[in-house]
């Protein structure tokens, strides 16, 4: 407690750590809600017998995947 009093006197313009932490706590809470919503949707899909497909986790869109396949066909046509 002595350190805190001395620190406050030496650094009167210092922000409270709690103020800095609050903004990140709010962001974390929002992300947590989004995560829980996604998990509920995923688990609901599993309970309905829908297995997750490999394409769902892919970073490529379907058009990009199809474009790669089409490039191979173009070479054969020539």
């Amino acid at each position: 407690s002595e350190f805190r009093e001395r620190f406050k006197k030496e650094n009167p313009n210092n922000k409270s750590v709690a103020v800095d932490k609050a903004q990140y706590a709010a962001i974390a809470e929002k992300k947590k809600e989004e995560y829980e919503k996604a998990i509920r949707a995923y688990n609901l899909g599993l309970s309905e017998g829908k297995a997750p497909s490999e394409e769902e986790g892919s970073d490529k869109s379907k058009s990009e995947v199809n474009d790669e396949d089409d490039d191979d066909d173009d070479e054969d046509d020539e």
Side-chain angles (χ1 to χ4, degrees):
S1 64
E2 292 175 15
F3 172 77
R4 289 182 185 180
E5 289 176 23
R6 188 181 67 213
F7 184 81
K8 286 181 183 182
K9 288 178 185 177
E10 292 173 2
N11 303 296
N13 295 328
N14 190 22
K15 289 183 180 179
S16 170
V17 176
V19 172
D20 290 338
K21 185 178 177 181
Q23 67 180 350
Y24 297 108
I27 293 170
E29 184 65 29
K30 181 179 176 185
K31 295 281 186 182
K32 183 178 178 181
E33 289 173 6
E34 291 173 5
Y35 168 79
E36 289 174 350
K37 182 178 177 181
I39 289 296
R40 283 192 300 271
Y42 176 79
N43 288 335
L44 181 61
L46 288 179
S47 68
E48 292 177 355
K50 297 178 183 175
S53 68
E54 292 179 13
E55 291 182 17
E56 287 180 10
S58 176
D59 289 341
K60 292 185 175 185
S61 68
K62 290 181 181 180
S63 62
E64 287 177 324
V65 172
N66 291 337
D67 288 345
E68 287 179 359
D69 293 339
D70 291 341
D71 290 343
D72 294 336
D73 293 339
D74 292 341
E75 292 174 6
D76 295 336
D77 293 339
E78 293 176 10

